[in-house]
Amino acid sequence: MKPLVFVLFTVFACLVGCGPTGLDESGLPQPRPELAAKAGISLDEMGEGYWVFSRKCMECHEARLPKGQIEGVWHPVVDGMSGNAGLSTSENAAVVNYVRAANLR
């Protein structure tokens, strides 16, 4: 009986410890309804921005988000990098929305 209790406790501890963090394998925040709502965008918009950021931006950059106000300092940087990455206007807006939402976690 004691070995069974030990095994069950070990399995439970592993499941609790390995619960979802909201981050992908690169450490980027995954789109979640509460983050999208805080940013005032739809979950689909956040998802598109996540996809573009993780596929296009990370071709040249490591997986980290700009910190702080995206509109103030980072918005012009994202606009400049969008041209380098060949992003459309809608993809650029999606990246800005994703970064804004991801920084609200």
Side-chain angles (χ1 to χ4, degrees):
M1 184 68 173
K2 286 185 181 183
L4 178 62
V5 171
F6 177 75
V7 169
L8 290 175
F9 177 76
T10 303
V11 169
F12 176 75
C14 287
L15 290 175
V16 170
C18 298
T21 62
L23 303 177
D24 69 8
E25 64 277 353
S26 301
L28 293 174
Q30 295 175 321
R32 295 193 319 266
E34 65 274 9
L35 292 179
K38 280 184 184 179
I41 61 174
S42 72
L43 185 58
D44 288 342
E45 289 174 296
M46 187 175 180
E48 180 185 357
Y50 169 77
W51 187 91
V52 173
F53 189 89
S54 63
R55 299 297 185 274
K56 299 282 189 160
C57 300
M58 287 177 51
E59 285 180 2
C60 299
H61 300 284
E62 62 185 58
R64 67 185 170 101
L65 293 169
K67 299 289 185 215
Q69 288 296 95
I70 186 78
E71 287 79 16
V73 175
W74 283 103
H75 198 285
V77 174
V78 172
D79 287 345
M81 290 290 134
S82 289
N84 294 343
L87 300 183
S88 69
T89 304
S90 66
E91 289 173 324
N92 178 49
V95 168
V96 170
N97 285 334
Y98 167 70
V99 172
R100 180 186 310 117
N103 275 319
L104 294 174
R105 45 180 185 108

